[in-house]
Amino acid sequence: QVVESGGGLVQSGGSLRLSCTASGLRLDYWTIGWFRQVPGKEREGVSCISSIKTTDGRESYADSVNGRFTIARDTAKNTVYLQMNNLKPEDSATYYCATRYRTCGRLEAPISLAEYDYWGQGTQVAVSS
């Protein structure tokens, strides 16, 4: 039901925009989180935007991406974007989108799959130095 897209290979300092869409879910009624994972490491939170029904849709960011990444909703397209600017090699990972009805929670690793209700399959981001 949840699908990510927009990953790819980019040079350090470049930008990518990831998209999260869902069938059967009105995403503005759900909290949306973006997460990433590197093989052999724990899944960590990147950003989150709370449901408009539970809060005022506030956003949160991991310290490592704050000021470089922006999460935003396009209600008309039922899509949540993660705009990633000034990418660094350490941003390379598989990025996942997930939804839940509760407000945004913590972003620190480890993030359990059980903390969110629906997860996408992930999209890979590779940043070359």
Side-chain angles (χ1 to χ4, degrees), residues 49-81:
I49 185 166
S50 288
S51 161
I52 62 171
K53 295 186 72 68
T54 56
T55 67
D56 55 3
R58 66 188 61 185
E59 307 159 16
S60 58
Y61 297 92
D63 290 343
S64 60
V65 307
N66 197 20
R68 300 188 296 123
F69 291 10
T70 303
I71 192 169
R73 295 182 183 274
D74 185 332
T75 301
K77 295 183 178 180
N78 199 37
T79 299
V80 173
Y81 299 105

Side-chain angles (χ1 to χ4, degrees), residues 15-94:
S15 298
L16 284 173
R17 188 178 73 166
L18 305 183
S19 299
C20 174
T21 60
S23 58
L25 294 177
R26 181 170 168 171
L27 288 185
D28 55 341
Y29 285 2
W30 292 75
T31 289
I32 308 298
W34 281 99
F35 305 88
R36 65 187 183 187
Q37 190 168 21
V38 175
K41 293 190 175 182
E42 296 172 328
R43 187 167 300 196
E44 64 178 358
V46 174
S47 181
C48 185
I49 185 166
S50 288
S51 161
I52 62 171
K53 295 186 72 68
T54 56
T55 67
D56 55 3
R58 66 188 61 185
E59 307 159 16
S60 58
Y61 297 92
D63 290 343
S64 60
V65 307
N66 197 20
R68 300 188 296 123
F69 291 10
T70 303
I71 192 169
R73 295 182 183 274
D74 185 332
T75 301
K77 295 183 178 180
N78 199 37
T79 299
V80 173
Y81 299 105
L82 183 68
Q83 178 67 43
M84 307 187 296
N85 297 328
N86 191 21
L87 283 161
K88 304 176 181 180
E90 53 263 42
D91 294 318
S92 298
T94 300

